[in-house]
Amino acid sequence: MYQWDFSFIWSYRWLFVNGTVVTLLFTFGIVVLGLAVGLFSGLLRLSRFAPLRWLSQAYVEVFRCTPVLVQLVWFYYALPILSGIEMSATTAGVLALSLYGGAFYSEIIRGGINSIEPGQTEAALALGMTPSQSMRRIVLPQALKRMVPPLMNQSIIQLKNTSLVSVLAVPDLLYQGQAVAHDSYRPLEIYTLVAVIYFVILFPLTLLVGRLERRLARAD
Amino acid sequence: MTAKIEVAALSKSFGDHQVLRSVNMSVGSGEVVALIGPSGSGKSTLLRCLNLLVTPDGGRVRVGGQSLDFGTSSKLPGTASLAKFRAGTGMVFQQFNLFPHKTVLGNVMEGPLTVRRMPRAEAETLARALLGKVGLAEKADQYPARLSGGQKQRVAIARALAMQPEIMLFDEATSALDPELVGEVLNVMRELAAEGMTMVIVTHEIAFAREVADRVVFLRDGVIVEDGPAKQVIDAPQQEATQAFLSHFHRQRDN
Ligand SMILES: Nc1ncnc2c1ncn2[C@@H]1O[C@H](COP(=O)(O)OP(=O)(O)OP(=O)(O)O)[C@@H](O)[C@H]1O
Ligand SMILES: [Mg+2]
C-alpha cells in the first residue's frame, strides 16, 4: 500500500497559489478576448454579405476542427517564422486559446440569436427601427439570456484548456505542479492536489450553470 | 378623397414562384380596405410590401408623402430610408410578436423611445393613454406572458399606434385567438376605423369585413380579381372566383 503523505506540500504552498492565480488570470483573459472575438464572428456570420459570412465560417471551422494543443504549438513555434514576430509563450497561449474559444462562442452566439423568433425582428422593423437598433434593443437582450448557460459551459472548458499552456512553460497551476513533482519526487500527492484544486474551482461553477439552465427552462 | 396608399405595378417573386403580379391598388385617406382571398393568394405578401417588410421586385409603393420605387433601374433603398418609411406605418401581426422581455408599458413605449427619440416622460404619457384606449391601463406593469391572446393583441395595436402612424396594417389579427376573445380585438379595430384611421385589413372574418370595411379587395394567385364596395363584393360578387371563394367560405362557416 502506498503511504500518502501531504505534509510536505505546505512548504510549496506559494507555488500552488501562484499557479492557481496564473491559471485564473489566464482564464479571465481568454474568456474576455474569446467572447469579444466570438461576438464579432457570430454577428459576421449573420451578415447580409456572403463573403463576411464565409470568412466567419472559415475561421470557426479551422479552430473547431484542429486540436487545441496543435493550435498552441503552432502559434508558439510556427507563427513567429511565418510572421517574423517573436512572441512569448504567454502571448501565443492567449492568442491561440482566445481564438479557439472564440470559435465556439461564435457558434453559441449565432445559435442564440437565431433562436429568437423572426417575428421579433419583424415587429421591431415594423416600428421603424433600423436592423442594428432591432438587434441591440430586441434580439440581443432576449438571446443573451438563452446564451448565458452555454457560454458559461464553454468558459469552464476554457479554464480546463488553460492547463495545456504548461507545455509552453507558462507557469500555470499544472506547470507548477510538475515542477514541484520533480522537486519532491511525490507525483501522486502533487497531481492529486492539482486535480482537486481544478475541481474545487470548477464544481461550484457547473452547479451554478445547472441552476441557471433550470431557471431558464422554467421561464420559457 | 386623396389616396393615402398607392401601389402601382407591384410584383414580387419568391424564387420562381410569382406571388404578386403587377398589383395596382389605392386606399383613400380614412378608408378601410379588407383584403380577402384564398390561402397562398399573396395577401400577407401584399400587406408586407406596404411597409416593406417584404421588398418588392418591381413597382411603386407610396404611403402619405413617402414613395419608393423598385425595379431593375432603381437601386434598393438603404436601411435608414426603409426604417423611416416603416415608422409611418403601423402593423399588427397574427402572432402578436410582443417583446417578451419588456412590460406592456415598455412594449408600447419602445417605438417612441427608440425610433422617435421621444423623452421618456412624454413617451410614458402617450403609452398610458393608448393602453387606456385599448382598455388595458391596469396591465401596464405586467409582462406579455401573463396576458390572454386578446389582451396581447390589444397591446400590439397600442404599440403600433404609439408611432402615430399614417396607416394601420392588420394581418389576420384575430386568427390566432380563441373565439371568445375575437370580439374585444375587433371592437378596438372598429373604433379605430370610426376615428378615421386609414386601414388595410387582411382577414377571414367576412362578416367583420362587410360591416367595417369601406371596400373589399379579393386577391387570387397574386392578382386583384375584384375590388369594390364591401357590401357589394360580399353580398353580390361579380367575378366567378369571388363567388366560389365566398360560397366555400360560407359553407365552411355553416359546418
Ligand atoms: N419568405 C417567403 N419565401 C418563400 N415563399 C414565400 C415567402 N413568403 C410567402 N411565400 C409564398 O408566397 C405565397 C403567398 O404567400 P402569402 O403569405 O402572401 O399568402 P396569404 O394570402 O397571406 O396566405 P394565408 O391566407 O395562408 O396567410 C405562398 O405560396 C407562400 O408559400
Ligand atoms: Mg397570410
Side-chain angles (χ1 to χ4, degrees):
Chain A
M1 261 299 274
Y2 183 79
Q3 282 301 119
W4 291 83
D5 175 14
F6 283 97
S7 58
F8 72 97
I9 281 176
W10 187 245
S11 55
Y12 293 108
R13 63 191 179 278
W14 289 114
L15 287 180
F16 285 105
V17 169
N18 284 344
T20 305
V21 167
V22 168
T23 289
L24 289 176
L25 284 178
F26 215 92
T27 305
F28 180 78
I30 64 174
V31 164
V32 169
L33 278 175
L35 281 172
V37 172
L39 180 62
F40 183 68
S41 158
L43 290 174
L44 276 195
R45 192 66 185 276
L46 298 167
S47 160
R48 275 173 299 155
F49 303 106
L52 294 180
R53 291 201 301 271
W54 297 333
L55 190 72
S56 161
Q57 187 173 3
Y59 154 66
V60 168
E61 297 307 346
V62 163
F63 280 87
R64 280 202 312 180
C65 301
T66 49
V68 61
L69 186 53
V70 172
Q71 291 165 24
L72 270 175
V73 171
W74 193 89
F75 271 81
Y76 188 50
Y77 295 107
L79 186 61
I81 301 172
L82 203 67
S83 65
I85 302 168
E86 279 300 320
M87 55 178 124
S88 68
T90 306
T91 310
V94 167
L95 209 59
L97 287 180
S98 299
L99 288 171
Y100 173 79
F104 287 88
Y105 290 136
S106 170
E107 286 296 284
I108 293 168
I109 288 167
R110 178 176 74 104
I113 290 173
N114 274 341
S115 77
I116 303 301
E117 307 68 43
Q120 292 290 307
T121 307
E122 286 180 357
L125 294 180
L127 283 177
M129 289 191 207
T130 61
S132 67
Q133 285 174 328
S134 146
M135 183 58 76
R136 269 202 324 276
R137 303 271 313 168
I138 304 302
V139 177
L140 272 184
Q142 296 181 57
L144 271 175
K145 228 169 62 187
R146 294 186 196 178
M147 289 175 208
V148 167
L151 288 177
M152 284 183 66
N153 269 327
Q154 187 60 43
S155 303
I156 286 172
I157 296 174
Q158 286 290 82
L159 192 152
K160 291 191 272 190
N161 282 338
T162 59
S163 64
L164 294 168
V165 298
S166 59
V167 301
L168 306 184
V170 175
D172 76 326
L173 176 57
L174 180 58
Y175 182 86
Q176 299 288 20
Q178 284 166 339
V180 176
H182 279 295
D183 199 53
S184 65
Y185 300 107
R186 298 209 66 102
L188 186 47
E189 285 84 351
I190 298 301
Y191 290 131
T192 304
L193 178 63
V194 166
V196 166
I197 293 175
Y198 278 114
F199 183 84
V200 165
I201 297 171
L202 288 171
F203 185 59
L205 287 175
T206 56
L207 286 183
L208 182 64
V209 175
R211 269 185 53 179
L212 279 175
E213 272 169 348
R214 278 194 300 281
R215 176 153 12 127
L216 272 179
R218 266 204 310 277
D220 275 346
Chain B
M1 208 159 33
T2 53
K4 188 72 147 186
I5 306 175
E6 229 179 284
V7 166
L10 195 72
S11 61
K12 177 67 189 179
S13 300
F14 292 109
D16 50 14
H17 179 192
Q18 191 165 8
V19 178
L20 295 177
R21 302 161 192 267
S22 192
V23 170
N24 296 294
M25 185 175 89
S26 75
V27 180
S29 187
E31 201 177 15
V32 176
V33 170
L35 204 52
I36 63 171
S39 181
S41 56
K43 305 180 297 293
S44 296
T45 306
L46 175 55
L47 197 71
R48 294 154 73 87
C49 280
L50 294 180
N51 71 349
L52 306 177
L53 275 186
V54 168
T55 310
D57 297 332
R60 165 177 300 172
V61 179
R62 179 175 71 76
V63 172
Q66 299 192 83
S67 171
L68 289 173
D69 283 293
F70 300 86
T72 41
S73 56
S74 39
K75 80 176 192 20
L76 287 177
T79 52
S81 54
L82 283 178
K84 181 153 172 286
F85 190 97
R86 293 187 189 118
T89 69
M91 182 173 251
V92 175
F93 302 86
Q94 182 176 347
Q95 298 300 337
F96 329 123
N97 297 346
L98 291 179
F99 306 133
H101 60 305
K102 293 185 181 293
T103 62
V104 163
L105 187 68
N107 268 270
V108 181
M109 287 170 66
E110 186 58 32
L113 283 181
T114 305
V115 180
R116 298 257 188 259
R117 308 235 172 259
M118 192 183 275
R120 183 163 281 274
E122 198 181 322
E124 182 170 338
T125 309
L126 172 66
R128 287 195 188 276
L130 287 168
L131 284 174
K133 182 183 164 100
V134 299
L136 291 172
E138 80 287 0
K139 300 284 185 191
D141 298 320
Q142 303 235 325
Y143 282 86
R146 305 273 310 271
L147 303 181
S148 73
Q151 292 170 335
K152 283 182 190 167
Q153 196 59 300
R154 286 186 281 152
V155 173
I157 293 173
R159 177 178 69 177
L161 290 174
M163 289 299 293
Q164 296 166 311
E166 293 198 72
I167 65 170
M168 283 287 282
L169 309 171
F170 294 85
D171 195 353
E172 301 200 30
T174 57
S175 295
L177 299 178
D178 293 337
E180 72 272 20
L181 301 177
V182 168
E184 63 192 62
V185 173
L186 292 184
N187 279 338
V188 170
M189 293 168 66
R190 203 174 273 125
E191 235 172 82
L192 270 182
E195 287 169 12
M197 176 62 79
T198 307
M199 295 163 50
V200 181
I201 302 171
V202 172
T203 185
H204 288 301
E205 302 278 340
I206 300 294
F208 177 74
R210 186 181 177 285
E211 174 209 330
V212 174
D214 302 300
R215 254 168 63 213
V216 168
V217 170
F218 175 68
L219 197 68
R220 201 189 64 170
D221 296 334
V223 176
I224 292 183
V225 175
E226 188 157 351
D227 177 348
K231 292 189 175 61
Q232 181 197 305
V233 173
I234 286 167
D235 297 340
Q238 307 292 303
Q239 302 295 322
E240 220 172 291
T242 322
Q243 291 163 2
F245 172 74
L246 286 172
S247 71
H248 169 75
F249 200 88
H250 291 314
R251 253 204 321 279
Q252 261 190 344
R253 292 203 354 154
D254 294 343
N255 284 344

